[in-house]
Amino acid sequence: MGSQNNFAQSTLSLPDVSSRIPGISARDQQSETIIPDPETPATDPDSRMFWWRDARFGMFIHWGLYAVPAGEWNGKTGYGEWIRTSAEIPLEVYDQFRPKFNPVRFDADSWVKMARDAGMKYIVITTKHHDGFCMFDTKQTDFNIMTTPFKRDPMKELAASCKKYGLKLCFYHSIMDWHHPDYLPRREWEKNRSTHGADFRLYVDYMKAQLKELLTNYGEIGVLWFDGEWENTWNEKYGKEIYHYVKSIQPDILVNNRVGAGRLDMEGLTKEGAFGGDFGTPEQQIPATGLPGVDWETCMTMNDHWGYNKADKNFKSTKEMIRMLADIASKGGNYLLNVGPTSEGLFPQESIDRLSAIGRWMRVNGESIYRTSASPFKQTPWGRCTRAMTSSGTILYLHVFDWPASGKLQIPGVLNTPDKAYLLSDPSGAALKIERQNDALVIFLPRQAPDSINSVIAVHLKGKLDQTDPPEFANELNIFVDSLRVSLFSERDNVQIRYDIGKSEPSQSSELYTKPILLKSTTILSARCFRDGKPVSGTITTEFKKVEPLKAFNISPVSGVAAGILYKYYEGAWDSLPDFNNLKPIAEGVVPDFVFTPRRQDDNFCFKYDGYVRIPESSVYTFSTSSDDGSRLWIDDQPIVNNDGLHGLGEKSGNIALEKGYHKICVAYFERTGSDNLLIFVKSQSHPKQVLPKEWLGH
Ligand code: H79
């Protein structure tokens, strides 16, 4: 389709075209009409989400007073938008950035054009970050951009530019506020900011008054993107109040899940049963798999900071970001990619370069991103897949990261009749040869990848997609000690599973799977789905390995081991587990299991536990730690679980094969601030997951 820019205009003749996002290629506009896929949430009667689901790609902008120090304070250069709190800058000192904020080179049109030319369909900009400084003309506080030398309202200008260039303007708004007198709690280090008379209810009213301004003075706003909701003053009741308030002003607006109080860590999804707004918000990470029925958006920095940091040159490559965009689209999510403009009002050059390179790719391949839904395949070893439905069939977009040296790309488990296949990068749309081999379609490719980052092949299929993944093994682990029963299943109805021992493609004469397969030695198993005697899926091949368990300690259980484990208790403010070699414990002794007695304070402490664990039978064991903040677990001095770092309640696990008898166990845990928690779980083939029983412990 050449390199013409067709992001800005839509010529699709769909009934709901006004609410939809342009970006379908000229070729598809001529030939086929993309329709919403009834198997994806895009047919949700809740059509408010349509434009957002179609858009797939947006720009985050973190811009505020923190751009003035540009990440540097007292000679340290690692700060960002958190600088006021991370560098412990008092309010009056922080306020001195205000007369210095004069971004005279800010040009809303150029920002919006850069977003548009990168292929982005919406912009989410900080109207207020945690520092409480308002980047818009508000009557609720003087702590806003109209009281800087700049005296202009960038939101007004961006609203006009977004309208002009056809992007949706969206507002980030922090719930946490380190400036407003009624916001609680104060930072721990802010000893001289009194809380006397502070009333959180008044703060919520202040928020509402500002949201009213934001939703009445700037036209239609696409999303309200809340953040900083995790402090204990915020709760689900306030979340629902704000959600409904915002929707009472602009009924079509979307609100992210951080309006509530049920976010699961930085994975960003919402805890079961909690109020989750309209979409989940993974931060700096991409979910491992798609999440059917769940709307989500990964937000991510280009370098290591959200706000402008002049020293941070650690930018992701264009290749990484294009592949992340394809990865996210293949899992049915959106990509919100951040830019941190300078205090002059400019995008960093590194961001400009990357945006324009992403734009070059999007102009050629955008139709494989916009309005697509998640990959139907569990595995695509060569790259990623997105799909779209047309009035006559299905389009699979194959995002090829690793161009096959064989010149052939195999797509197993697709029974539809292929209509045509071509490279999106080929302006003539010349057909690639496509052949059927049993269940697989084989596409014949040119020797050279047209794009070393991601070459997209569009495969048009007749009719509704008829696709079958290889069967799956139900076993979580593929190592065992004595023997293992291996189970197979398929999510597809009406199929038989056949399997072989060794690396082969099972055929119609291979063993029919009817019950779990008992393994007593290391074995490679291959399995495949069949219907009416014909293969309908590709093959899964897995090695199940028999391993030697770690030898147990030779201790007499009667004389050698007493109940309980040894503990050492430390105090200090750590962001991860300390090096114990250089630390003196404040207390030590014996406790029944992993409890926090006898700690002396709620925050800033650490425990190290040492002892033995009595393993009831030789097997592979899975140990997990669930902790807030970080923890680690070792068995026989081997690191098994690394759950270190500052975080909310989070669980990590690891496996080890152990002989029946006594083994050394060591657990370390630290707590910075907020809630504290530590639980150790154990599981094996014959024991379901349980809290590690006290009776198994000794010293
Ligand atoms: O605006 C950018 C960052 O400044 C902001 N979000 C992005 C979009 C951000 N604020 N804090 N953080 C990111 C990291 C905070 C992490 C934690 Fe928590 C807060 C760890 C513990 C409390 C949230 C709640 C994550 C786990 C529990």
Side-chain angles (χ1 to χ4, degrees):
M1 78 178 220
S3 61
Q4 79 274 25
N5 182 339
N6 54 20
F7 297 136
Q9 65 276 351
S10 169
T11 52
L12 276 179
S13 54
L14 287 171
D16 59 345
V17 69
S18 59
S19 68
R20 293 200 153 241
I21 289 282
I24 306 301
S25 80
R27 183 174 25 232
D28 273 304
Q29 289 174 27
Q30 287 151 18
S31 54
E32 280 163 288
T33 308
I34 309 274
I35 59 170
D37 181 342
E39 284 179 6
T40 71
T43 49
D44 190 326
D46 193 356
S47 60
R48 295 174 302 122
M49 295 295 298
F50 278 1
W51 73 266
W52 187 88
R53 288 176 186 146
D54 289 353
R56 285 285 176 257
F57 193 25
M59 177 181 281
F60 217 166
I61 301 180
H62 275 71
W63 200 36
L65 274 192
Y66 40 81
V68 174
E72 182 174 358
W73 194 250
N74 285 339
K76 286 196 188 158
T77 57
Y79 302 111
E81 73 291 347
W82 272 68
I83 190 165
R84 181 164 119 66
T85 280
S86 315
E88 305 190 357
I89 305 176
L91 262 194
E92 352 33 285
V93 180
Y94 195 76
D95 203 34
Q96 290 166 17
F97 296 141
R98 196 149 45 125
K100 294 193 185 133
F101 191 75
N102 194 11
V104 288
R105 301 181 73 182
F106 167 67
D107 171 24
D109 272 3
S110 90
W111 285 16
V112 173
K113 270 193 281 185
M114 282 190 274
R116 181 200 64 177
D117 293 344
M120 293 158 159
K121 300 297 186 187
Y122 58 108
I123 292 177
V124 183
I125 181 157
T126 46
T127 55
K128 181 190 86 165
H129 205 267
H130 308 333
D131 62 1
F133 182 74
C134 300
M135 292 291 286
F136 63 106
D137 184 2
T138 173
K139 303 292 172 255
Q140 315 307 321
T141 175
D142 283 343
F143 195 50
N144 80 64
I145 195 160
M146 304 310 281
T147 68
T148 68
F150 191 50
K151 290 200 191 71
R152 275 159 56 189
D153 182 348
M155 302 305 152
K156 266 258 143 70
E157 297 176 26
L158 283 166
S161 303
C162 281
K163 208 165 171 191
K164 185 161 147 195
Y165 294 109
L167 275 77
K168 294 256 190 194
L169 181 63
C170 310
F171 288 152
Y172 171 105
H173 199 75
S174 174
I175 291 170
M176 180 159 72
D177 189 315
W178 304 326
H179 185 273
H180 197 279
D182 285 311
Y183 181 84
L184 294 167
R186 300 279 187 265
R187 303 309 94 195
E188 214 183 318
W189 52 270
E190 270 186 306
K191 302 286 184 221
N192 52 13
R193 260 188 86 204
S194 163
T195 56
H196 186 73
D199 179 351
F200 197 78
R201 179 66 240 176
L202 294 180
Y203 174 71
V204 178
D205 293 341
Y206 165 81
M207 264 184 81
K208 285 167 87 169
Q210 292 209 315
L211 291 167
K212 180 151 200 182
E213 293 174 329
L214 288 169
L215 296 180
T216 46
N217 297 340
Y218 304 93
E220 195 185 304
I221 299 305
V223 175
L224 254 170
W225 212 106
F226 290 101
D227 197 9
E229 82 292 9
W230 58 82
E231 298 205 285
N232 59 16
T233 39
W234 195 253
N235 58 40
E236 186 163 301
K237 206 163 143 267
Y238 287 136
K240 285 183 173 161
E241 178 182 339
I242 292 288
Y243 181 89
H244 293 299
Y245 181 68
V246 160
K247 298 224 167 176
S248 74
I249 308 174
Q250 291 206 13
D252 287 342
I253 201 164
L254 305 177
V255 179
N256 71 341
N257 67 340
R258 299 188 187 185
V259 72
R263 170 162 58 121
L264 277 167
D265 249 336
M266 300 310 250
E267 282 165 32
L269 303 168
T270 308
K271 285 179 200 144
E272 223 177 292
F275 178 63
D278 296 318
F279 60 91
T281 50
E283 180 166 327
Q284 302 286 41
Q285 55 183 288
I286 302 174
T289 61
L291 307 154
V294 180
D295 288 299
W296 56 274
E297 171 192 69
T298 283
C299 60
M300 198 178 276
T301 50
M302 281 202 197
N303 54 1
D304 295 327
H305 292 86
W306 299 94
Y308 177 62
N309 180 305
K310 63 184 172 197
D312 182 355
K313 300 294 173 195
N314 189 28
F315 281 81
K316 294 177 185 69
S317 65
T318 300
K319 172 175 166 177
E320 279 175 277
M321 292 187 280
I322 287 173
R323 289 187 171 187
M324 282 175 173
L325 176 59
D327 184 30
I328 289 168
S330 80
K331 294 167 180 171
N334 282 16
Y335 194 26
L336 186 63
L337 186 57
N338 183 69
V339 176
T342 68
S343 62
E344 284 190 283
L346 299 176
F347 283 7
Q349 190 57 43
E350 294 87 345
S351 302
I352 296 176
D353 295 343
R354 283 159 180 77
L355 289 170
S356 81
I358 294 171
R360 279 195 292 280
W361 185 88
M362 285 295 273
R363 276 190 285 280
V364 174
N365 300 291
E367 71 161 277
S368 68
I369 301 290
Y370 306 124
R371 304 188 62 177
T372 57
S373 43
S375 171
F377 302 105
K378 283 249 157 67
Q379 301 277 334
T380 46
W382 35 264
R384 298 292 182 273
C385 176
T386 53
R387 68 165 147 167
M389 275 183 79
T390 70
S391 40
S392 61
T394 304
I395 308 175
L396 296 179
Y397 294 104
L398 313 178
H399 298 251
V400 186
F401 297 173
D402 300 315
W403 199 250
S406 67
K408 284 187 256 176
L409 192 66
Q410 272 239 353
I411 313 299
V414 175
L415 298 189
N416 301 68
T417 306
D419 191 4
K420 57 183 171 186
Y422 52 89
L423 282 157
L424 290 189
S425 59
D426 181 352
S428 70
L432 298 173
K433 188 173 150 201
I434 182 162
E435 247 178 24
R436 170 163 301 286
Q437 280 177 14
N438 294 317
D439 58 286
L441 294 173
V442 182
I443 304 163
F444 293 76
L445 303 176
R447 280 259 152 260
Q448 279 283 316
D451 187 323
S452 61
I453 294 177
N454 177 3
S455 311
V456 182
I457 302 163
V459 185
H460 289 235
L461 304 172
K462 291 201 197 323
K464 196 170 164 263
L465 186 66
D466 180 5
Q467 180 261 341
T468 308
D469 279 314
E472 288 176 70
F473 290 104
N475 304 60
E476 278 171 42
L477 297 179
N478 54 2
I479 52 172
F480 61 97
V481 170
D482 284 324
S483 63
L484 182 68
R485 273 177 212 284
V486 174
S487 305
L488 280 159
F489 69 97
S490 166
E491 282 172 3
R492 197 75 205 253
D493 289 336
N494 256 329
V495 294
Q496 292 93 44
I497 298 172
R498 293 181 182 274
Y499 68 95
D500 275 344
I501 288 175
K503 276 187 199 159
S504 74
E505 288 216 304
S507 69
Q508 202 200 331
S509 54
S510 301
E511 193 80 32
L512 183 67
Y513 174 80
T514 52
K515 60 175 197 299
I517 308 158
L518 181 66
L519 304 183
K520 294 196 159 165
S521 57
T522 295
T523 309
I524 295 174
L525 287 178
S526 299
R528 193 177 188 186
C529 296
F530 290 77
R531 189 185 293 133
D532 304 329
K534 290 194 189 113
V536 293
S537 82
T539 299
I540 185 173
T541 299
T542 301
E543 182 179 37
F544 292 90
K545 224 177 178 147
K546 183 163 177 159
V547 293
E548 270 304 307
L550 271 186
K551 288 264 165 289
F553 278 84
N554 203 357
I555 318 167
S556 151
V558 185
S559 63
V561 177
I565 46 174
L566 303 173
Y567 78 86
K568 286 182 177 160
Y569 169 73
Y570 307 84
E571 286 173 2
W574 298 286
D575 289 348
S576 61
L577 282 166
D579 178 359
F580 293 100
N581 293 323
N582 306 321
L583 283 183
K584 251 184 88 82
I586 286 177
E588 48 191 305
V590 178
V591 279
D593 62 357
F594 308 94
V595 290
F596 301 151
T597 34
R599 67 165 156 180
R600 304 189 305 187
Q601 54 196 35
D602 284 345
D603 292 329
N604 299 325
F605 67 88
C606 169
F607 273 94
K608 185 168 175 285
Y609 307 91
D610 275 290
Y612 290 100
V613 54
R614 183 176 47 81
I615 293 299
E617 66 191 11
S618 298
S619 181
V620 177
Y621 286 82
T622 302
F623 289 90
S624 336
T625 74
S626 164
S627 68
D628 168 3
D629 292 291
S631 57
R632 286 175 189 261
L633 180 148
W634 294 261
I635 298 288
D636 295 338
D637 301 321
Q638 294 196 22
I640 306 297
V641 182
N642 177 357
N643 194 2
D644 204 355
L646 277 180
H647 53 74
L649 195 60
E651 189 170 320
K652 292 270 168 70
S653 59
N655 309 307
I656 182 149
L658 298 175
E659 188 187 58
K660 176 180 171 166
Y662 282 89
H663 293 266
K664 278 194 335 199
I665 183 168
C666 172
V667 171
Y669 164 84
F670 82 98
E671 158 62 9
R672 184 72 190 266
T673 58
S675 40
D676 49 65
N677 234 305
L678 173 67
L679 277 177
I680 312 296
F681 297 98
V682 64
K683 183 176 104 171
S684 73
Q685 250 171 277
S686 46
H687 285 80
K689 185 173 164 183
Q690 59 177 327
V691 173
L692 183 59
K694 278 190 190 65
E695 297 71 37
W696 292 21
L697 295 171
H699 70 280

